[in-house]
Amino acid sequence: MVLIGGRWVVVQLWQSISLPVSPPLFAWLVLGDMVLALWQLVGAWRSLSRWVDSRARGEMLLAGRVAMVVTAVVSVTHALDQAARETAALAPVSFVGPRPLEVRNRVAYLTGDISYDLLARFEATPMKDVSMLDLDSAGGQVFAARAMAKRVMAWGLDTQVTKRCYSACTLIFMAGSRRDLGPEGELGFHGYLLQAQPLPIDVGQEEAIDRAFLRDQGVTASFATQAFATPHRDIWRPDRQVLIAAGVLRD
């Protein structure tokens, strides 16, 4: 009753406490629990030893000792579990969300493969102090690029490329209100390679959608056609004069 029953009562009392509590109070509770457990174990050991000595039943002493060892282990484990609960309650895990893009001097830097993860980072970036999007990507997912392009247009952002912007990245670039290419910058175009299972994708239809988008953004029909005429395994990198003449770059 004192050992097993007392431990059960202590466990129930612990469960009734709403964690977290103040660290000093928690420390006193754990210390009190350990002192009580030690008192229970010593008392039970002495009582069992006296009872066995008077009746000379060694197997009962062995069983009692095993029970006390188990109780001690359970008590320590329970104390550690309560400590873990207290720590978790004091410092709950929170979802911080996607990491925003780097922003410097009103320019947001969109770097890496075009993907829905990058789209989430783009959307998580506060745009109140951003006027231009700097692009550096070898391409990626066309549908994610379209979503980013819509946001660039909705937010009225300018776009620039100081390094490279290939394939799907060019859709985002073409969405800019103003479009600028740095001295070392390159734009690269080619046809699509779209794969999705189990739904089939009509590559020609998707290219036609984005060809029309380029026309809507002021690009000449011949350039829009050439942009998708290059096979996917290759890339077309038109020079600055061609880009200016075709209406790709816009002040």
Side-chain angles (χ1 to χ4, degrees):
M1 291 178 62
V2 174
L3 184 63
I4 306 299
R7 284 285 88 199
W8 182 85
V9 171
V10 170
V11 170
Q12 299 306 309
L13 290 175
W14 269 111
Q15 296 300 323
S16 67
I17 298 175
S18 179
L19 297 179
V21 297
S22 65
L25 176 57
F26 182 78
W28 278 110
L29 289 173
V30 172
L31 179 61
D33 187 3
M34 292 296 97
V35 171
L36 178 60
L38 181 62
W39 176 79
Q40 290 173 306
L41 289 167
V42 171
W45 185 280
R46 290 175 177 174
S47 176
L48 180 61
S49 297
R50 288 194 298 269
W51 187 85
V52 170
D53 289 344
S54 64
R55 292 166 175 77
R57 295 184 60 181
E59 67 276 5
M60 186 60 71
L61 179 61
L62 176 62
R65 287 175 175 173
V66 170
M68 282 183 281
V69 170
V70 171
T71 302
V73 172
V74 170
S75 298
V76 172
T77 303
H78 183 262
L80 294 175
D81 180 66
Q82 296 308 311
R85 287 180 58 206
E86 170 78 359
T87 302
L90 287 173
V93 177
S94 58
F95 177 68
V96 296
R99 177 169 55 90
L101 301 178
E102 178 185 1
V103 177
R104 299 194 310 269
N105 300 323
R106 299 182 60 83
V107 178
Y109 291 84
L110 193 147
T111 304
D113 290 342
I114 305 301
S115 65
Y116 286 100
D117 289 338
L118 191 58
L119 170 61
R121 292 186 58 197
F122 185 32
E123 293 179 328
T125 305
M127 289 294 163
K128 60 178 182 175
D129 296 324
V130 174
S131 60
M132 178 175 288
L133 187 65
D134 183 276
L135 299 161
D136 179 13
S137 174
Q141 299 175 357
V142 171
F143 299 108
R146 287 177 179 172
M148 293 186 204
K150 289 181 179 179
R151 285 152 180 78
V152 168
M153 297 176 68
W155 294 332
L157 298 179
D158 300 334
T159 54
Q160 70 175 14
V161 173
T162 56
K163 295 181 180 179
R164 62 175 180 173
C165 180
Y166 299 160
S167 189
C169 176
T170 59
L171 296 178
I172 307 172
F173 176 78
M174 292 302 305
S177 298
R178 297 178 178 179
R179 303 185 290 264
D180 184 47
L181 187 66
E184 304 298 325
E186 282 190 340
L187 296 179
F189 302 85
H190 60 192
Y192 289 161
L193 175 64
L194 300 176
Q195 296 176 340
Q197 298 294 336
L199 299 177
I201 293 180
D202 187 332
V203 174
Q205 181 178 349
E206 299 303 326
E207 290 180 347
I209 292 173
D210 291 333
R211 192 180 300 112
F213 169 70
L214 296 184
R215 294 295 310 279
D216 291 341
Q217 293 301 102
V219 172
T220 62
S222 59
F223 185 95
T225 300
Q226 180 62 34
F228 295 94
T230 303
H232 180 269
R233 63 182 177 275
D234 298 323
I235 193 144
W236 176 45
R237 301 179 182 88
D239 60 31
R240 179 178 294 273
Q241 287 71 27
V242 172
L243 294 171
I244 294 174
V248 174
L249 303 183
R250 184 168 65 186
D251 294 331

